Amino acid sequence: MARLQLKNINKRWGDFVGVKDLNLDIADEEFLVLLGPSGCGKSTTMRMIAGLEGVSEGEILLGDQVVNHLPPKDRDISMVFQSYGLYPNLSVYENIRFPLRVRRVPKDQHDEMVMRAVRMVELEDFMHRRPAELSGGQRQRVALGRAIVRKPTVFLMDEPLSNLDAKLRVSTRAQIKNLQSKLKVTTVYVTHDQIEAMTLADRVVVMNAGEIQQVGTPTEIYNTPANTFVASFIGSPAMNLIDGRIDGGTFTAEGMTIKGLKTRHSGPVTLGFRAEDADVCEADGQITGPVYSVELLGDATMITWRQGGALVSIKTNKDYRAEIDQTVTGAIPTEICHLFDAQTGARIAQD
Amino acid sequence: MTHKEFMAFIWPSLLAMALFIAVPIISVAYQSMFVEHEQIMIETETCGPFGCTPEVAVDQDAMRKVREDSPAGRFNGLDTYTNSSHLATDEITEIVATSENFGEIRDRIMNLPFYKALIFTLSYTFIVTPLVIVFGFIIAVVVNSIPSFLKGPVIFFSLLPMIVTPLVGSLVLFWMIDSRGVVGAFLQYLFADPSLSLKASPTLTWVTLFVYGVWHSAPFAFVVFYAGLQTVPSDTLESSMVDGANRWEQIRFVVMPYLLPLATFVALMQLMDNFRIFEPIIGFSASASATSLSYLIYTDLREAETPLFGSAAATSMLTIIGVIILLLPVLFRNAREFNRKA
Amino acid sequence: MALFQTSSDNPAAQKSTALAVLSVAFVLVWLFIAAFPFLWTAWGSFKAEGDFFSRADWMNAIAGPATTAQTGGAFTLDGYRGAWIEKEFWRAAMNTGIVTLCVTMISLTLGTLGGYALARSGFRYTFWILIAALVFRAMPHVTLVSGYLLPFFQLNIWGYLPTTIIVLVAINQPFTLWMLHSFFLSIPKDLDEAAMVDGCTRFQAFRLAIIPVMWPGVVTTGLFSFLLAYNDFTTTSMLLTETNATMIPKINSFLGSTQEEGKVMYAVAAVVSAIIPLFVLIMFFQRQIVSGLTAGAVKG
Ligand SMILES: Nc1ncnc2c1ncn2[C@@H]1O[C@H](COP(=O)(O)OP(=O)(O)O)[C@@H](O)[C@H]1O
Ligand SMILES: [Mg+2]
């Protein structure tokens, strides 16, 4: 029983609001990812769960218990920090054993538990080294090992991969996912990397400026972004967002027209579509103009136009070639278009 | 930087150190092998109304001439080192031969001036240094945990005992522990003993000096540790909290290991400074019960008639050897580290 | 209070009331131990000997009945008058002023040049110079003094202020070199190297690129040079004549005559007078002193 609930959480430092009206209900064994740009309050949220930071308003429930005033050591959690927070004077073995020692787990169980964790994070060969004698990836695995040495109610991980190089990040990501599904422990994972979020999460929480923007499965977040922030934050390249007007199902903006959108809404709107959903075409396209740039991505070619003040990109066949300033037409079918309110940025539903 | 540029920048500093630190050490080594000239006596006749009486007096003219010829005195080899006011080799042999038990050997050796001073100096160094580290650490940890508006004033007043001139600081305490002073009177009241005086007993004098030493130096350790506490890596500290460590375990497993290099630094500085303990002995008028190596040298040089340069120099040499022994571990460590880097 | 709201509502930092009270109590006790002796002595310096050293009741030192009986007021300046005027403590204060000022200036000049050279030269001998400086730093000053006396007598330079100043500068050099060396290490090499690429000689680079940014380190080091010179007893007491004596040896010479009634108060007044400049120094330079004490530690 390790449901974790955050009810109307607020965090303020003086006048500055770090986290605002945050509500989350995290199910047992769920892998929840907090995703957002740097400074949006992800770490703060996680640190409040851990008890490293006080809550200005609201309640945190771990199971059925309100834990607002419990110090970290009484919360039965474990946490992996961005820079690992290893004990530099202790060996790898002792680092991993540390939580057992200070939580008064009977001594005779230590070795077995530590060795199980050591094997899970594949550090058998480095047990007697000090953290300073390890590579970044190995240190990261020590931190991971220390977190899984006992079975806590909740795992917390604050950007655990951000100090690793790109290749190691991919393999460690897989390892974390694998460990979590084996251990079946509720996990809250913080990252600013959308790919990490998409690959790991059961549910993603997208945050910005201290507020939740959208909560949903990776697919939901990707397919139906709740607002322009989520739309532009998720996906690579970012979703094209074009300001224009809609009237009777026809969207118009400088240099482009899209007909047949299924909405009764009219007035100024923001239209969005993903570069990978659209394509170039010979004629009858929705956008036509001189090409601003042509980028070869390997698996695709990306064509970009200047549209008003913004850039609009479309991914197409990897063999497609065009010259800069050559006039090219792009096809933007209505099914791939998202509509957002021009003022609030909120999603406008289409039938 | 070329050798030439390096020298151009550093020569004044090197010259000052060579002339006033290195050369004096050599001068001390040289002087230690000489002793004062023997008195040249001259027989004169003092004639009075009742006839003449022969009188023996120091021949001042002859003495002056000899002193001018060889100002350091006459050559004495290493004898000064072994005489009774220094290493006292003969006396030690005799004491060991004639004493019944260890206690007696110890008591008799404690009566030899050099050993008395050496033992006090070492006791002071090795008792005060650890106490300073322990107290400094405790104060730092506690001050770090109090509300922040108190911290500034606490640091301000804490600096006083350390910054104030040792002689002045010890006088301030000395006047207070005087049996007519406020602390002295309070102690008499506390122990219900109107004749209690910290000056009377050698043991109490030692304790007083140790207390002074801790009072004087704990602020230094405190400030160093306090500054160190501000930089304890918060990730590691927070890991330990989440891992379940209580307040003491956080200190034991995170803070103390992190501050260990600072403790080594404080220990080194304190060993050097405490080994030259001197002013407090004057400030506390403690020389009857406690003398230090530095104090011995000082009194030799202060000898009213003629300063005992030879004797002072020999004690100085022995002290210098003591300092070097004290520093050896540090020197080795530094050299090893330097070689590893190079 | 808003000030510690953040810490008290932080579950990680919360402590039991007992522990909080205990901590504050401990700090107050320490404050008392550190500061009370000075306050007590400063107060007592305005009393007569019969009050400051009261056989009857220590409370007399606070109220001061003997002082009132002798002088008619609860406070008296007799101690200060006796020390400063009768015993010419003003002369010692002046000498101290000259000595400390000169020592600080000269030490910093030499130390800045030397420390810069040590920080920028990668040759092996810099290491040995620093080690030698460490050993010199550890030498008890009185052992050095016993080396000076005889040559100084011979050269007829004993007893003068300039001799003492130079000696104190030299004794001060090891510390100054270490401190400024580690300070210059913290100034990026790029700064002077850029200047040299732009066409400066090494010395011009030092003057134009380094001197403008070195003042924080120099001020901190200067404070400690000042303290060393100001607090010195060993060297000044052995190398200066009675008339050239600085404050600390002068105070020591007062102690010889304290048997006479009232004379000990001269020493008390002189001691308090000598503490006041240090008090002011801490008041203005607390931060620099703290950073200086820890600068050596960082470098180790
Ligand atoms: N102790 C603090 N005092 C004041 N502001 C803080 C404090 N800690 C964090 N903040 C602010 O709160 C915001 C959110 O921080 P954080 O949760 O660390 O962001 P991130 O999402 O990058 O992890 C940031 O703007 C940060 O500056
Ligand atoms: Mg963060």
Side-chain angles (χ1 to χ4, degrees):
Chain A
M1 180 58 205
R3 178 174 171 207
L4 173 62
Q5 287 164 277
L6 307 184
K7 295 187 175 166
N8 292 316
I9 299 292
N10 279 283
K11 176 69 192 179
R12 284 184 292 271
W13 288 282
D15 290 339
F16 181 82
V17 180
V19 171
K20 192 171 168 202
D21 288 330
L22 187 125
N23 282 287
L24 271 179
D25 190 339
I26 305 164
D28 192 17
E29 296 183 24
E30 181 172 0
F31 198 122
L32 185 95
V33 174
L34 297 181
L35 174 67
S38 157
C40 71
K42 310 178 297 283
S43 296
T44 307
T45 308
M46 169 160 285
R47 291 164 55 79
M48 286 190 288
I49 299 172
L52 296 169
E53 202 79 73
V55 178
S56 307
E57 242 170 66
E59 276 184 347
I60 298 178
L61 281 92
L62 203 52
D64 317 315
Q65 194 192 7
V66 176
V67 295
N68 280 28
H69 294 290
L70 285 184
K73 74 181 171 70
D74 298 331
R75 293 199 183 187
D76 194 28
I77 42 178
S78 60
M79 181 157 172
V80 178
F81 289 78
Q82 182 171 356
S83 42
Y84 316 141
L86 302 180
Y87 310 111
N89 55 312
L90 300 182
S91 67
V92 168
Y93 183 92
E94 287 298 327
N95 259 287
I96 295 179
R97 179 173 158 235
F98 189 84
L100 307 179
R101 250 168 110 179
V102 294
R103 285 188 189 269
R104 313 281 181 276
V105 173
K107 275 227 166 68
D108 50 347
Q109 302 173 19
H110 286 195
D111 192 57
E112 192 197 321
M113 293 172 80
V114 174
M115 286 316 295
R116 190 184 59 105
V118 165
R119 273 191 292 274
M120 281 177 121
V121 295
E122 296 162 25
L123 280 171
E124 293 96 324
D125 299 339
F126 305 97
M127 280 194 313
H128 302 294
R129 295 216 194 154
R130 298 271 176 101
E133 301 159 340
L134 299 176
S135 71
Q138 289 161 346
R139 280 181 216 176
Q140 208 282 336
R141 300 209 307 267
V142 179
L144 213 53
R146 189 176 58 184
I148 62 173
V149 68
R150 20 171 243 115
K151 191 170 172 10
T153 4
V154 179
F155 276 147
L156 303 175
M157 305 195 189
D158 191 350
E159 313 217 6
L161 304 182
S162 61
N163 285 346
L164 301 182
D165 60 51
K167 213 168 171 186
L168 205 53
R169 211 175 296 168
V170 174
S171 61
T172 316
R173 198 168 73 197
Q175 190 175 23
I176 288 179
K177 182 74 182 168
N178 182 279
L179 281 177
Q180 197 262 349
S181 71
K182 269 194 213 143
L183 295 167
K184 302 195 191 323
V185 174
T186 316
T187 302
V188 180
Y189 184 106
V190 162
T191 181
H192 63 261
D193 177 0
Q194 45 152 332
I195 308 207
E196 246 170 59
M198 294 299 189
T199 48
L200 287 171
D202 294 330
R203 271 196 308 160
V204 178
V205 177
V206 183
M207 291 181 70
N208 187 34
E211 286 185 88
I212 292 186
Q213 305 295 317
Q214 187 172 8
V215 183
T217 62
T219 329
E220 285 166 3
I221 300 264
Y222 183 85
N223 289 342
T224 51
N227 54 35
T228 44
F229 175 80
V230 179
S232 62
F233 192 75
I234 305 287
S236 170
M239 183 183 278
N240 295 300
L241 290 174
I242 302 139
D243 290 328
R245 288 190 62 85
I246 192 162
D247 250 318
T250 303
F251 174 85
T252 45
E254 192 190 322
M256 62 187 289
T257 308
I258 302 175
K259 291 194 181 113
L261 288 160
K262 295 192 189 72
T263 179
R264 258 152 304 189
H265 192 96
S266 68
V269 288
T270 303
L271 177 133
F273 69 93
R274 294 197 185 275
E276 53 271 37
D277 293 343
D279 205 344
V280 295
C281 59
E282 291 305 314
D284 296 335
Q286 280 73 25
I287 179 168
T288 308
V291 170
Y292 178 71
S293 78
V294 180
E295 293 162 82
L296 308 185
L297 304 178
D299 58 344
T301 299
M302 190 149 78
I303 307 294
T304 306
W305 291 264
R306 265 197 102 91
Q307 197 282 321
L311 297 176
V312 175
S313 304
I314 286 181
K315 272 190 187 171
T316 183
N317 186 328
K318 67 178 174 4
D319 301 319
Y320 183 87
R321 292 293 178 271
E323 296 299 319
I324 287 185
D325 282 344
Q326 179 185 335
T327 298
V328 173
T329 302
I332 308 168
T334 53
E335 314 87 72
I336 68 164
C337 290
H338 306 259
L339 289 174
F340 303 98
D341 189 290
Q343 249 88 58
T344 62
R347 183 177 189 84
I348 299 170
Q350 299 179 64
D351 326 305
Chain B
M1 195 174 242
T2 63
H3 296 286
K4 214 173 120 196
E5 283 168 349
F6 181 75
M7 280 319 290
F9 273 92
I10 210 172
W11 72 264
S13 187
L14 283 189
L15 183 73
M17 289 200 292
L19 274 186
F20 294 98
I21 301 181
V23 172
I25 292 177
I26 297 170
S27 150
V28 166
Y30 177 79
Q31 284 178 48
S32 70
M33 291 192 273
F34 290 81
V35 288
E36 292 66 37
H37 292 286
E38 269 174 277
Q39 309 271 9
I40 302 170
M41 294 305 177
I42 190 169
E43 201 164 307
T44 49
E45 289 212 328
T46 323
C47 292
F50 309 106
C52 291
T53 44
E55 236 178 37
V56 179
V58 178
D59 180 346
Q60 296 296 353
D61 289 337
M63 283 297 290
R64 198 171 304 124
K65 189 167 175 338
V66 179
R67 286 214 188 107
E68 258 163 35
D69 288 347
S70 53
R74 69 199 151 81
F75 186 73
N76 195 32
L78 293 178
D79 286 357
T80 312
Y81 287 95
T82 55
N83 74 13
S84 65
S85 44
H86 295 92
L87 292 176
T89 39
D90 294 345
E91 285 78 357
I92 299 265
T93 326
E94 202 213 284
I95 287 171
V96 173
T98 59
S99 293
E100 316 255 289
N101 54 36
F102 180 75
E104 194 184 337
I105 295 184
R106 192 191 57 207
D107 291 346
R108 287 175 66 183
I109 287 183
M110 273 301 281
N111 281 329
L112 298 167
F114 178 80
Y115 290 98
K116 186 180 161 194
L118 178 69
I119 289 170
F120 176 75
T121 308
L122 290 176
S123 313
Y124 184 86
T125 309
F126 289 102
I127 290 175
V128 170
T129 306
L131 286 180
V132 161
I133 292 178
V134 171
F135 275 105
F137 179 75
I138 296 176
I139 299 171
V141 168
V142 177
V143 169
N144 197 35
S145 77
I146 59 170
S148 44
F149 70 95
L150 282 174
K151 289 178 181 171
V154 170
I155 294 175
F156 176 83
F157 286 108
S158 299
L159 287 175
L160 275 173
M162 169 187 59
I163 295 286
V164 161
T165 321
L167 184 72
V168 164
S170 43
L171 279 174
V172 165
L173 291 199
F174 178 66
W175 290 327
M176 288 174 72
I177 61 159
D178 186 283
S179 54
R180 296 166 303 153
V182 59
V183 175
F186 178 71
L187 288 179
Q188 287 173 354
Y189 165 79
L190 200 67
F191 293 100
D193 176 3
S195 64
L196 180 78
S197 162
L198 291 176
K199 296 180 219 167
S201 123
T203 319
L204 287 182
T205 308
W206 280 41
V207 171
T208 310
L209 286 168
F210 295 161
V211 169
Y212 163 80
V214 175
W215 179 76
H216 172 65
S217 302
F220 168 61
F222 155 55
V223 169
V224 172
F225 288 139
Y226 180 78
L229 282 177
Q230 311 312 307
T231 63
V232 171
S234 61
D235 258 17
T236 310
L237 198 60
E238 290 179 344
S239 289
S240 77
M241 291 178 190
V242 172
D243 283 345
N246 59 30
R247 207 167 279 279
W248 160 244
E249 285 160 339
Q250 289 165 28
I251 292 179
R252 166 73 189 73
F253 291 107
V254 180
V255 175
M256 297 227 266
Y258 179 75
L259 293 184
L260 191 65
L262 293 189
T264 322
F265 163 77
V266 173
L268 171 67
M269 293 293 146
Q270 281 297 299
L271 287 178
M272 295 199 286
D273 289 349
N274 291 336
F275 195 73
R276 57 176 163 228
I277 158 101
F278 166 50
E279 284 103 326
I281 295 178
I282 294 182
F284 283 97
S285 309
S287 55
S289 326
T291 58
S292 70
L293 295 175
S294 291
Y295 186 82
L296 281 189
I297 302 170
Y298 176 77
T299 45
D300 276 347
L301 294 174
R302 279 265 147 153
E303 203 63 31
E305 284 290 297
T306 44
L308 302 174
F309 290 122
S311 171
T315 313
S316 294
M317 284 313 289
L318 294 170
T319 308
I320 290 173
I321 293 171
V323 168
I324 290 178
I325 293 175
L326 215 57
L327 283 184
L328 272 185
V330 187
L331 299 184
F332 274 129
R333 209 198 63 184
N334 265 319
R336 226 186 17 239
E337 242 162 53
F338 182 78
N339 286 334
R340 205 169 47 216
K341 262 186 244 156
Chain C
M1 218 187 258
L3 204 61
F4 31 109
Q5 202 81 71
T6 45
S7 69
S8 63
D9 77 3
N10 184 349
Q14 82 194 193
K15 27 179 186 181
S16 64
T17 340
L19 191 60
V21 170
L22 213 65
S23 318
V24 173
F26 176 87
V27 170
L28 291 180
V29 170
W30 160 247
L31 263 189
F32 182 78
I33 294 174
F36 173 71
F38 298 105
L39 300 178
W40 178 260
T41 309
W43 177 271
S45 67
F46 296 100
K47 302 284 172 187
E49 183 176 354
D51 286 327
F52 189 56
F53 295 101
S54 174
R55 218 172 274 285
D57 183 0
W58 66 269
M59 283 291 286
N60 285 352
I62 296 178
T67 317
T68 319
Q70 281 172 26
T71 66
F75 296 97
T76 171
L77 285 174
D78 283 354
Y80 289 91
R81 201 173 296 126
W84 281 83
I85 298 166
E86 188 186 319
K87 293 280 192 163
E88 300 201 318
F89 195 64
W90 60 270
R91 199 188 288 279
M94 230 170 59
N95 289 333
T96 296
I98 298 171
V99 169
T100 48
L101 190 73
C102 295
V103 169
T104 311
M105 292 307 193
I106 304 175
S107 290
L108 285 181
T109 311
L110 303 196
T112 311
L113 294 170
Y116 174 74
L118 287 173
R120 288 297 185 261
S121 159
F123 296 119
R124 206 181 167 76
Y125 51 64
T126 57
F127 170 76
W128 292 111
I129 292 176
L130 285 169
I131 287 293
L134 182 71
V135 175
F136 287 164
R137 155 85 173 72
M139 289 297 149
H141 299 169
V142 72
T143 61
L144 300 176
V145 170
S146 70
Y148 301 140
L149 281 182
L150 206 50
F152 285 4
F153 285 142
Q154 293 295 307
L155 297 169
N156 239 332
I157 54 172
W158 181 87
Y160 304 109
L161 288 180
T163 317
T164 306
I165 289 171
I166 295 182
V167 164
L168 283 176
V169 166
I171 289 183
N172 211 353
Q173 272 308 292
F175 169 79
T176 315
L177 276 184
W178 261 96
M179 189 122 165
L180 286 169
H181 154 254
S182 47
F183 175 73
F184 282 122
L185 280 181
S186 73
I187 296 181
K189 249 190 170 134
D190 304 0
L191 209 60
D192 30 337
E193 283 176 354
M196 288 196 294
V197 170
D198 289 343
C200 292
T201 63
R202 176 60 81 167
F203 192 77
Q204 283 171 323
F206 176 70
R207 198 163 58 86
L208 298 173
I210 299 297
I211 288 186
V213 299
M214 73 180 187
W215 295 111
V218 170
V219 168
T220 305
T221 315
L223 282 171
F224 286 87
S225 301
F226 170 86
L227 284 176
L228 180 128
Y230 189 89
N231 285 345
D232 179 83
F233 169 68
T234 322
T235 322
T236 44
S237 73
M238 306 286 276
L239 293 186
L240 288 172
T241 57
E242 189 79 11
T243 47
N244 280 342
T246 51
M247 289 203 281
I248 309 301
K250 188 79 175 178
I251 290 173
N252 185 44
S253 74
F254 287 178
L255 298 179
S257 57
T258 51
Q259 303 311 327
E260 271 172 79
E261 169 74 21
K263 288 290 191 303
V264 70
M265 294 319 289
Y266 292 7
V268 175
V271 156
V272 174
S273 310
I275 292 174
I276 288 168
L278 296 172
F279 194 84
V280 175
L281 188 83
I282 306 181
M283 222 145 66
F284 283 103
F285 294 106
Q286 175 171 341
R287 178 167 308 152
Q288 282 83 352
I289 294 174
V290 169
S291 78
L293 287 176
T294 46
V298 177
K299 188 78 223 335

